[in-house]
Amino acid sequence: MAYQAPYVDETGLHYSSFEDIKQFYIDGAKEIFGEDIYVDNDSMDGQLISIFAKAQYDTLKTIEFAYNNTTPQTAF
């Protein structure tokens, strides 16, 4: 599944996985710097992309936690 912006519908909150978010950043870096940019996990660029993706994913998980606490059935 490709990255998509978070959304809420009648079934709840939906957001992309960590891997989809990371791939979104990798694709963006390749658009800017060219397809030959090295972004594997052992490169500085790859590590920076992973940090950004993790921060975004953690934010989405926090939003999910807050969203789930708005109803008695899913409140923690």
Side-chain angles (χ1 to χ4, degrees):
M1 184 172 124
Y3 173 81
Q4 63 181 10
Y7 66 94
V8 176
D9 64 12
E10 61 276 351
T11 63
L13 175 66
H14 305 274
Y15 54 89
S16 296
S17 69
F18 169 77
E19 289 301 323
D20 290 338
I21 294 168
K22 184 177 173 184
Q23 190 60 49
F24 173 76
Y25 282 119
I26 290 171
D27 293 344
K30 287 184 176 187
E31 280 183 33
I32 294 168
F33 301 111
E35 288 294 319
D36 61 339
I37 186 174
Y38 184 69
V39 291
D40 285 352
N41 291 332
D42 63 341
S43 71
M44 288 187 291
D45 292 329
Q47 291 175 18
L48 184 61
I49 286 171
S50 291
I51 290 169
F52 290 155
K54 177 84 166 88
Q56 183 176 353
Y57 186 72
D58 288 347
T59 301
L60 291 169
K61 293 298 285 183
T62 302
I63 291 168
E64 177 185 43
F65 181 76
Y67 177 82
N68 287 339
N69 277 328
T70 61
T71 63
Q73 297 93 324
T74 58
F76 215 105

